[in-house]
């Protein structure tokens, strides 16, 4: 996601007619990927009945993972909701402080969020999940508080710093929650748990994003 944000920002800033060029570029990349997959990767599966039924999502939480889900669900909901707000409104935050800042400056916010999240996931590898979750919640609270305060003080550097702290909390909670959920679970039960985790996460992310769009529309109409 971090690489995609950076590439998209650079493309939108420097490529002519980006609203047409970017979709055409994606179409070309997808076509090239499909062709390469068909030629390079041989098909190993044999057609059989039940293929469509196998694609139906299945959510499952075995009894051994229910306590871990109850513990990790609140921070997972909170951090994915925050990710939705940063992805939808984050690029607008610099314009609240510096109205004439360019598109690249606006994308620094979500780039900082995703980059620090990715680095934190790597840094948390091998550490106790419970400790990671406690630190993650602290980072998340500090990041949101610093971002809010920096907006009041019109400090772009403070907004970026707060975003980095929030991104670190996001990455740590992702790593800690999945570690808690998958600890001591049989291999055959992991797919259902991961599906449950991402269903909760993306639902939590999408609701604030959609609401922010409607809220912005109501503000624009009122003005």
């Amino acid at each position: 996601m971090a690489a995609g944000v950076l590439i998209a920002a650079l493309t939108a800033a420097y490529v002519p007619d980006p609203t047409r060029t970017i979709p055409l570029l994606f179409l070309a990349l997808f076509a090239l990927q499909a062709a390469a997959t068909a030629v390079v990767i041989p098909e190993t599966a044999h057609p059989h009945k039940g293929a469509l039924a196998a694609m139906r999502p299945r959510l499952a939480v075995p009894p051994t993972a229910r306590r871990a889900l109850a513990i990790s669900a609140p921070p997972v909901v909170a951090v994915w909701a925050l990710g939705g707000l940063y992805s939808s409104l984050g690029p607008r935050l610099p314009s609240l402080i510096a109205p004439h800042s360019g598109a690249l400056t606006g994308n620094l916010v979500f780039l900082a969020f995703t980059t620090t999240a990715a680095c934190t996931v790597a840094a948390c590898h091998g550490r106790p999940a419970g400790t990671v979750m406690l630190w993650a919640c602290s980072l998340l609270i500090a990041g949101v508080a610093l971002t809010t305060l920096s907006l009041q003080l019109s400090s772009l550097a403070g907004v970026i710093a707060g975003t980095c702290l929030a991104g670190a909390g996001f990455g740590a909670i992702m790593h800690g929650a999945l570690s808690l959920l998958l600890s001591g679970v049989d291999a055959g039960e992991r797919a259902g748990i991961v599906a449950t985790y991402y269903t909760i996460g993306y639902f939590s992310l999408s609701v604030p994003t959609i609401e922010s769009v409607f809220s912005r529309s109501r503000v624009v109409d009122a003005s």
Side-chain angles (χ1 to χ4, degrees):
M1 291 178 70
V5 170
L6 179 60
I7 294 171
L10 293 173
T11 304
Y14 298 112
V15 172
D17 197 9
T19 56
R20 295 185 179 182
T21 304
I22 293 174
L24 291 175
L25 178 61
F26 271 110
L27 284 174
L29 288 174
F30 291 149
L32 180 62
Q33 183 183 35
T37 301
V39 174
V40 177
I41 303 176
E43 181 59 68
T44 58
H46 300 287
H48 60 277
K49 294 182 179 180
L52 292 177
M55 296 175 65
R56 186 184 304 119
R58 290 179 175 84
L59 309 182
V61 181
T64 54
R66 289 174 186 173
R67 183 175 181 274
L69 180 64
I71 294 173
S72 60
V76 167
V77 170
V79 79
W80 279 83
L82 182 67
L85 289 173
Y86 268 109
S87 63
S88 56
L89 298 180
R92 298 291 299 171
L93 293 181
S95 65
L96 299 176
I97 300 171
H100 301 293
S101 59
L104 284 176
T105 304
N107 282 281
L108 282 176
V109 174
F110 195 53
L111 177 63
F113 186 85
T114 50
T115 301
T116 51
C119 294
T120 305
V121 170
C124 290
H125 182 71
R127 299 182 183 275
T131 303
V132 169
M133 292 287 284
L134 288 175
W135 277 103
C137 293
S138 301
L139 289 170
L140 197 65
I141 294 170
V144 173
L146 180 57
T147 302
T148 304
L149 178 62
S150 299
L151 286 172
Q152 299 299 320
L153 298 177
S154 298
S155 172
L156 182 57
V159 169
I160 298 298
T163 300
C164 288
L165 288 175
F170 182 88
I173 286 177
M174 280 192 65
H175 182 275
L178 283 172
S179 298
L180 281 176
L181 289 170
L182 298 176
S183 178
V185 174
D186 294 336
E189 297 174 324
R190 292 184 177 182
I193 296 175
V194 173
T196 302
Y197 169 84
Y198 278 106
T199 298
I200 295 172
Y202 277 104
F203 184 80
S204 304
L205 179 145
S206 59
V207 170
T209 303
I210 295 171
E211 174 57 27
S212 68
V213 173
F214 284 110
S215 298
R216 187 172 183 271
S217 300
R218 288 193 292 267
V219 171
V220 172
D221 293 339
S223 62

